Amino acid sequence: MPALVLLGAQWGDEGKGKATDLLGGSVDYVVRYQGGNNAGHTVVVGDQKYALHLLPSGILSPGCIPVIGNGVVIDPAVLLSELSGLNERGIDTSKLLISGNAHLITPYHQTIDKVTERFLGKRKIGTTGRGIGPAYADKINRVGIRVQDLFDESILRQKVDAALADKNQVLVKLFNRRAISADQVVEEYLGYAEQIKDYVADTTLLLNQALEQDKVVLLEGGQGTLLDVDHGTYPFVTSSNPTAGGACTGSGIGPTKITRVIGILKAYTTRVGAGPFPTELLDEDGEALRRIGGERGVTTGRDRRCGWFDAVIARYATRVNGLTDFFLTKLDVLTGWEQIPVCVAYEIDGERVEELPYSQTDFHHAKPVYEYLPGWSEDISKAQTFADLPKNAQAYVKALEEMSGAPISAIGVGPGRTETIEINSFL
Ligand code: IMP
């Protein structure tokens, strides 16, 4: 009855899609447990490239049942357009299951996300503008709309009316925007009900039954550890829990059922949006990482901020997630540097600090302390085993493993499905 968690160990975009897809062939269920269409997975299958935002990447593996768990926030228009996009390319999406308890993103959440960011000016978070934060805020405030509400018109109407009563005041009086019509929202959302009804299920029950039948369930996080609303670089975070605990609450699977927690770790670091980033490079090395690594957001098309590997962050991810393994991605991007700096600690106000400081102010002041590891120039994209890697690449991986506190069980050496070195099996 193995339940595995796969999550981002940094600020997201570590290449989770490739890892989930790699495992997808051997797992029975792939579950998204938090976030929404703020995420972006690129999965390359043969010569086909798929960009997924909301759907679990397991949707591309025949034989695997993709699940959108209760912890996710769903924009139904995006859901339906992703589904029809895949159908047009011949992908069967009929097995998808959607939790009736998942919350819905509505047009008013998107409007509020955008106007709030504009209002914050220089203090903005740099959100994806998809309404994620406001939808989670409504969930916590107990005025959210859930998938199951779509199937009871009078409840849906009452809830939308209640949610808009104060929001329209704020939109009109504070933000100088037009009020949003509750009738229009209800009409639009009732239209989605018929189209998604066949997917909706008691996913918690089904997943626990599957585990009892020894099925393999993979819980897939969106974003990353440092974007977690509790454990990330608050307030520059997303509004949910990508960390391992979120996999339990966002799916209804208890912690005792989880056997492996795999952290996806990029061989360097990237971040999108605002917030502190100690190893960020604003020079030609940063530009080169962005270019070679194709570091442009799948969701928003924004350039990602790039920097060297930060072992302090990796250690922190091991700690707050209880990681059992790492999947190191994009090692090939580092090919060609004579030496590669790796941040092993921070200097904060003149003192060397080995662990991520809990204080936001300290983290803003953290300066990276680098060790310089010898680079390699050989093409590593054809490497199939660890021994195929050049000695310096092997030493780089081993050094990262030692600093990060969990074994590196797989290494990505190129974007394609087969361009992965498996060291230990995840199953
Ligand atoms: P939100 O999730 O749209 O509210 O955005 C909050 C922060 O999380 C912003 O800095 C976003 O750029 C960041 N973010 C959200 N989703 C992702 C992701 O999938 N990868 C990387 N950053 C993300």
Side-chain angles (χ1 to χ4, degrees):
M1 49 134 226
L4 319 175
V5 179
L6 197 68
L7 51 83
Q10 295 150 321
W11 274 288
D13 308 316
E14 295 89 353
K16 286 182 289 280
K18 181 178 190 325
T20 344
D21 186 56
L22 181 80
L23 283 162
S26 28
V27 301
D28 301 297
Y29 291 79
V30 176
V31 187
R32 272 216 50 195
Y33 57 83
Q34 49 69 235
N37 57 310
N38 49 347
H41 292 320
T42 308
V43 184
V44 180
V45 184
D47 58 357
Q48 295 286 310
K49 200 169 174 179
Y50 299 90
L52 302 172
H53 300 285
L54 178 60
L55 292 170
S57 39
I59 199 135
L60 298 172
S61 301
C64 175
I65 300 181
V67 180
I68 297 182
N70 57 280
V72 174
V73 286
I74 300 173
D75 182 330
V78 172
L79 173 76
L80 292 169
S81 96
E82 260 183 37
L83 286 172
S84 66
L86 289 176
N87 293 153
E88 275 162 24
R89 292 170 75 177
I91 306 277
D92 173 21
T93 57
S94 61
K95 292 204 200 99
L96 175 70
L97 298 174
I98 300 174
S99 166
N101 287 347
H103 279 246
L104 294 174
I105 301 174
T106 66
Y108 50 85
H109 295 123
Q110 291 167 42
T111 304
I112 291 168
D113 196 356
K114 289 183 190 130
V115 290
T116 315
E117 282 279 278
R118 222 170 289 152
F119 198 68
L120 282 170
K122 278 209 306 232
R123 292 175 294 128
K124 72 176 181 188
I125 308 293
T127 72
T128 58
R130 304 292 194 261
I132 308 291
Y136 276 114
D138 275 5
K139 171 177 174 174
I140 301 304
N141 279 333
R142 295 164 294 189
V143 292
I145 315 289
R146 295 192 292 175
V147 169
Q148 58 180 287
D149 299 329
L150 293 177
F151 309 108
D152 186 325
E153 184 173 342
S154 106
I155 293 255
L156 180 66
R157 203 167 284 282
Q158 278 175 41
K159 289 193 173 180
V160 173
D161 276 341
L164 278 175
D166 60 335
K167 286 185 181 63
N168 271 337
Q169 299 281 333
V170 173
L171 281 174
V172 173
K173 294 187 181 149
L174 184 64
F175 293 118
N176 209 16
R177 301 283 296 219
R178 249 182 298 156
I180 289 173
S181 149
D183 284 345
Q184 258 178 26
V185 174
V186 169
E187 201 181 314
E188 180 186 343
Y189 277 58
L190 285 174
Y192 297 133
E194 191 55 33
Q195 298 177 71
I196 68 168
K197 118 175 151 324
D198 290 344
Y199 300 115
V200 180
D202 183 348
T203 50
T204 295
L205 177 66
L206 292 176
L207 289 171
N208 279 284
Q209 284 172 340
L211 287 170
E212 270 163 33
Q213 291 158 16
D214 269 342
K215 303 276 191 224
V216 180
V217 175
L218 181 67
L219 299 152
E220 169 188 71
Q223 293 82 49
T225 298
L226 290 176
L227 287 173
D228 185 283
V229 68
D230 283 271
H231 299 291
T233 46
Y234 191 91
F236 301 102
V237 293
T238 193
S239 298
S240 63
N241 290 112
T243 50
C248 295
T249 48
S251 68
I253 291 176
T256 49
K257 303 267 168 69
I258 290 171
T259 47
R260 297 285 269 277
V261 184
I262 304 153
I264 313 300
L265 190 65
K266 210 182 279 192
Y268 50 99
T269 315
T270 61
R271 133 162 246 180
V272 202
F277 180 179
T279 63
E280 181 170 19
L281 293 165
L282 301 169
D283 57 8
E284 64 272 21
D285 280 332
E287 199 39 59
L289 286 174
R290 187 158 32 250
R291 181 173 34 83
I292 303 166
E295 297 297 352
R296 182 174 279 263
V298 180
T299 300
T300 58
R302 289 182 287 181
D303 274 352
R304 296 180 185 141
R305 299 158 65 192
C306 295
W308 298 123
F309 184 82
D310 186 335
V312 183
I313 283 173
R315 276 199 289 283
Y316 179 74
T318 305
R319 169 155 54 94
V320 297
N321 294 301
L323 295 182
T324 57
D325 305 78
F326 279 115
F327 188 136
L328 187 71
T329 58
K330 294 191 142 180
L331 185 63
D332 53 303
V333 173
L334 294 179
T335 301
W337 265 274
E338 213 165 290
Q339 46 175 12
I340 308 169
V342 170
C343 169
V344 294
Y346 299 141
E347 192 197 296
I348 303 174
D349 300 330
E351 264 182 54
R352 185 183 166 108
V353 174
E354 306 277 339
E355 298 292 342
L356 198 90
Y358 76 86
S359 144
Q360 184 188 345
T361 311
D362 283 353
F363 194 54
H364 274 275
H365 292 170
K367 293 197 188 75
V369 176
Y370 285 120
E371 254 175 39
Y372 295 84
L373 303 181
W376 59 93
S377 54
E378 301 89 331
D379 174 15
I380 61 168
S381 64
K382 304 284 172 303
Q384 290 183 337
T385 66
F386 188 69
D388 293 341
L389 290 174
K391 286 281 167 282
N392 285 350
Q394 289 184 15
Y396 184 79
V397 172
K398 282 287 156 208
L400 262 44
E401 181 173 83
E402 213 160 281
M403 293 171 195
S404 306
I408 292 176
S409 295
I411 304 169
V413 290
R417 220 177 200 179
T418 52
E419 289 166 329
T420 298
I421 298 173
E422 282 185 82
I423 301 171
N424 305 312
S425 163
F426 290 125
L427 294 168

